Amino acid sequence: MSDPVRILISDPLDPETVERFSSSGDVEVVVQTGIDPAELPAVVRQYHGMVVRSGTRVTAEALADPGLLRVIGRAGSGVDNIDLDAATAAGVVVMNTPGGNSVAAAEHTLALLTSLARHLPQAATDLKAGNWNRKRYMGTEVTGKTLGIVGLGRVGREVALRARGMHMEVLGYDPYVSDAVAAELGIAPRTLPDLLAESDFVTLHLPISGDTRHLIDAAAIAAMKPGARLINCARGGLVDEAALASALESGHLAGAALDVFEAEPPDPDGLVGMPGVIATPHLGASTREAQIRVAAEICEKVKNYLLDGTARDAVNPVPKG
Ligand code: NAD
Ligand code: MLT
C-alpha cells in the first residue's frame, strides 16, 4: 500500500470547510498555523501539498530543498507571499482561487468609499466618546462624482458595477484590458495620468510586482485632483506611504482608506493614526461566504493535482510528465 498523500494547512481557513475536507479520507490533512519562518523549510518538505492564505511567506529558502512538496494552494487571489520563481525551479505548482473573494473585496472597497465620503468611522468614534459634532463631519455625495479604477480585473470590475449603481462616473486604467472591453463594462478608459487628474476617488485593484511597487508615488499623488481621496484594498506596496502622508498633511488629498499596508500590521502612530485616514486590518476578503468559497476551492484543487495531476488555476508552469 502506498503512503497517504499529506497536505499541510499553514494559515487559518474556514474551520468547518477544513473539517469536512480532513474527514473525507482521501488525503491526510494537518493544520499547523503560525510556523516559525526558520522552521518552515523543514516542515514543508514533509508534505506533498500545502495550503496558505496570506500569512505564510513561502520564501526561496523554504523551497530550496522541497522534499515531497509538489503543490502550494493559495486560498485567495494574491500570490505575492509565495516566491514563484523558486517554486518553479523546485517543480512545485502554485494555484490560487481567482474570483473566490472578488465580491467580498469589492463590497469592502465600496464600504471604504462611502465611509470616506461621510467620515463614518471618525464620526462614530467621536459620538461614542460623548461628542455630538454635526458640523465637523459635513460629507460629500458620491452620486455624479468620478471614480478612477486602476486595475480592471475581477475585483475592479465588481467595483465598477457597484459604483455605476451609485450613479458615479467610472474611469479605468489597465494596460492589459482593451478600451473596447472596458467600454462594454461601462468604464471609460483613460491613461493613468488622465485618470488621476480627473477622479474624485481613485481605487487600486492590481497586483504588486517589481513593476507596480509604488505606482502611486509622490508624482502620481501630485497629479491627483486637489481634494481627491485614495482607496487601497489591493496591496500595500502599491502606494508610497510617506508620499501619501505628506499629501494628507498638506491637504492636497482629502482622505485615504487603506485595507493593506507595506508592513502588516502597520505602525498605529504612523499613517494609520492620521485624522483623514480610514484603516482596516486587511479585511477585504473577510466575509464568511468568501472564506468558505476559497477554502473549499483550494483544498479540492490541491487534492486533485496530487491525486490525478489536474492543475486548475496554476500561476506558474506545471511540470510535464
Ligand atoms: P486580477 O488578476 O483579477 O486583476 C488584476 C488586474 O490588474 C488585471 O486586470 C491586470 O491586467 C491589472 N494590472 C496589472 N498590472 C497593472 C498596472 N500596472 N496598471 C493597471 N492595471 C494593472 O486580480 P483581482 O482578483 O482583481 O485582485 C486585485 C488585487 O486585489 C490583487 O492585488 C489582490 O491580491 C488584491 N486583493 C485584496 C484583497 C483584500 O483582502 N484586501 C482581496 C482580494 C484581492
Ligand atoms: C487576496 O489576495 O486574496 C487577499 O489578500 C485576501 C486574503 O487575505 O486572503
Side-chain angles (χ1 to χ4, degrees):
M1 222 171 91
S2 58
D3 287 340
V5 165
R6 286 164 54 79
I7 297 176
L8 169 70
I9 297 180
S10 66
D11 286 319
L13 299 190
D14 176 65
E16 283 168 30
T17 307
V18 170
E19 174 56 34
R20 209 172 313 118
F21 182 58
S22 306
S23 56
S24 70
D26 302 333
V27 290
E28 191 180 306
V29 178
V30 172
V31 179
Q32 187 183 349
T33 58
I35 302 171
D36 184 331
E39 308 293 329
L40 197 61
V43 176
V44 297
R45 60 190 317 282
Q46 300 168 37
Y47 293 89
H48 302 91
M50 175 178 188
V51 176
V52 302
R53 204 176 151 191
S54 56
T56 305
R57 301 209 73 79
V58 191
T59 58
E61 199 187 9
L63 294 165
D65 179 10
L68 296 175
L69 192 69
R70 293 176 52 214
V71 57
I72 301 169
R74 162 68 160 105
S77 154
V79 287
D80 45 288
N81 54 321
I82 303 166
D83 189 321
L84 292 184
D85 291 338
T88 305
V92 173
V93 177
V94 180
M95 299 166 175
N96 66 352
T97 57
N101 59 26
S102 309
V103 165
E107 289 185 357
H108 196 68
T109 302
L110 269 293
L112 292 173
L113 188 150
T114 47
S115 297
L116 266 181
R118 303 300 287 270
H119 314 290
L120 291 187
Q122 295 93 334
T125 306
D126 212 10
L127 181 55
K128 277 178 187 266
N131 302 313
W132 185 257
N133 268 320
R134 296 185 69 204
K135 282 198 185 126
R136 182 181 296 170
Y137 300 113
M138 182 62 69
T140 179
E141 291 178 2
V142 300
T143 294
K145 297 293 187 311
T146 300
L147 174 66
I149 305 179
V150 184
L152 301 176
R154 294 173 185 85
V155 180
R157 292 175 194 208
E158 294 289 348
V159 169
L161 198 67
R162 285 158 180 76
R164 291 182 63 222
M166 294 200 301
H167 306 285
M168 299 187 80
E169 300 296 326
V170 180
L171 312 180
Y173 166 70
D174 189 321
Y176 306 99
V177 172
S178 69
D179 288 0
V181 168
E184 275 170 28
L185 297 163
I187 300 169
R190 290 289 189 275
T191 62
L192 183 59
D194 285 349
L195 178 145
L196 295 173
E198 292 177 42
S199 300
D200 300 296
F201 295 84
V202 172
T203 185
L204 309 179
H205 299 289
L206 67 158
I208 184 84
S209 69
D211 292 339
T212 62
R213 184 166 296 281
H214 287 191
L215 181 80
I216 305 301
D217 59 8
I221 292 171
M224 287 173 71
K225 231 184 191 179
R229 293 167 169 90
L230 178 68
I231 301 159
N232 187 6
C233 194
R235 278 295 178 270
L238 294 169
V239 177
D240 178 339
E241 293 181 353
L244 176 59
S246 301
L248 291 164
E249 188 85 48
S250 72
H252 174 59
L253 293 190
L258 309 169
D259 184 49
V260 287
F261 306 88
E262 290 217 65
E264 294 184 2
D267 174 5
D269 298 324
L271 188 58
V272 167
M274 295 184 75
V277 173
I278 293 173
T280 50
H282 202 144
L283 290 184
S286 295
T287 62
R288 189 149 164 67
E289 295 86 344
Q291 288 312 310
I292 290 172
R293 211 177 287 129
V294 296
E297 204 182 298
I298 204 62
C299 287
E300 279 306 301
K301 282 179 184 167
V302 166
K303 181 183 85 176
N304 291 342
Y305 182 68
L306 291 172
L307 296 186
D308 65 23
T310 312
R312 246 188 76 213
D313 296 317
V315 298
N316 68 338
V318 180
K320 300 289 170 217

